[in-house]
Amino acid sequence: MPNLILLHGALGHNDIFTPYVEELSRYFSIHTPLFSGHGDTELPESGITIEKYTQELAVYCEKHNLTDVSIFGHSMGGYVALCYAMKVPDNVKSVITLGTKFDWSEEQARKEAKMLNPEVITEKVPQYAQLLESQHGPQWKELLPAIAELMIDLGKNPPLKNNLGTITVHAQIMVGDKDNMVSIEESLQVYRSLPDAKLAVLPDTKHPMDKVRPNLLLNLIKDFWNLS
């Protein structure tokens, strides 16, 4: 069976794909790697960047002997997927991104990073703090500032900027119409910049993966990959 890699977003977890794995397993051999610092994986002492996560994906594919892969990436996972497609085009058959932020600037990244304060989240959004602890253990408090640094680095040097035209894999850029992190406009711009892409706007859909209606997303995935 062809290989499909499902990539979670920053501060996400591969358990977000549970509602999709059974159905997609009818068509693909499914892989759900965790980025370092997430789940039970260690946070690298040297910190994390998009380039590091792209390298982790490359190592995962080599280790599991995965070739001609298709990738679905939510949020940051979609950014990593396109970076990998840019770096190793011969190994990527197609990419779907959902809720991926492409329009990064240093100013905007610093603004986003300020919101990733463990103490503030514990105080103001205790339910989210509990979710982060249940998914990533006590290291979630170290993961937040590491992700903040990743965002700032992305704002300074967004690797996809001015390079989208070189990514020739078949792609579908998807965004929810109620996503408060990612605009339809930036998604449209990326869709137009990619040589072989489709665009899908999901109605009444917010950014978090657990807010996406599985049947809606599965239908769009099946349509893109011509699955019946």
Side-chain angles (χ1 to χ4, degrees):
M1 292 179 98
N3 292 299
L4 172 61
I5 302 173
L6 305 176
L7 297 178
H8 65 82
L11 304 176
H13 194 279
N14 57 14
D15 63 9
I16 59 168
F17 298 120
T18 302
Y20 304 90
V21 169
E22 184 180 352
E23 179 64 18
L24 292 175
S25 294
R26 294 172 56 201
Y27 311 97
F28 297 101
S29 176
I30 305 291
H31 299 264
T32 56
L34 280 165
F35 291 115
S36 59
H38 294 75
D40 56 2
T41 67
E42 284 188 25
L43 190 62
E45 288 183 20
S46 57
I48 47 179
T49 60
I50 284 292
E51 287 81 4
K52 170 152 185 46
Y53 280 165
T54 304
Q55 183 58 28
E56 286 181 13
L57 177 56
V59 169
Y60 183 90
C61 288
E62 286 168 22
K63 182 181 175 184
H64 294 88
N65 198 26
L66 305 184
T67 57
D68 205 25
V69 297
S70 293
I71 308 174
F72 172 91
H74 175 248
S75 196
M76 179 198 72
Y79 203 100
V80 172
L82 285 176
C83 285
Y84 181 67
M86 182 171 70
K87 184 179 177 183
V88 196
D90 293 344
N91 205 42
V92 181
K93 189 175 183 181
S94 53
V95 170
I96 296 177
T97 71
L98 172 62
T100 295
K101 180 150 197 67
F102 296 103
D103 184 20
W104 287 96
S105 68
E106 187 176 355
E107 179 190 6
Q108 182 256 337
R110 289 190 183 279
K111 187 178 163 188
E112 296 262 355
K114 276 183 186 173
M115 296 159 68
L116 298 182
N117 183 310
E119 283 69 37
V120 173
I121 288 175
T122 302
E123 183 187 340
K124 300 275 179 71
V125 203
Q127 282 179 307
Y128 186 45
Q130 286 168 3
L131 174 67
L132 289 171
E133 180 145 22
S134 71
Q135 289 182 327
H136 312 297
Q139 77 168 356
W140 76 272
K141 291 187 175 181
E142 284 81 54
L143 179 58
L144 258 72
I147 291 293
E149 287 300 318
L150 177 148
M151 285 179 167
I152 291 166
D153 182 68
L154 196 50
K156 290 178 180 174
N157 306 293
L160 291 179
K161 193 174 183 181
N162 303 323
N163 289 316
L164 290 165
T166 69
I167 302 172
T168 56
V169 301
H170 191 40
Q172 179 154 290
I173 306 301
M174 304 202 296
V175 63
D177 63 353
K178 290 189 168 59
D179 192 321
N180 61 0
M181 286 186 67
V182 182
S183 69
I184 293 174
E185 289 73 22
E186 69 189 273
S187 304
L188 181 63
Q189 193 172 2
V190 169
Y191 149 72
R192 286 176 170 159
S193 300
L194 291 166
D196 180 13
K198 295 181 178 182
L199 176 73
V201 179
L202 283 65
D204 196 28
T205 301
K206 297 179 180 178
H207 182 79
M209 189 73 186
D210 61 0
K211 302 294 185 194
V212 179
R213 301 192 294 291
N215 284 347
L216 173 64
L217 181 53
L218 278 168
N219 282 336
L220 287 164
I221 288 172
K222 286 179 169 183
D223 178 74
F224 177 71
W225 279 317
N226 296 315
L227 310 174
S228 55

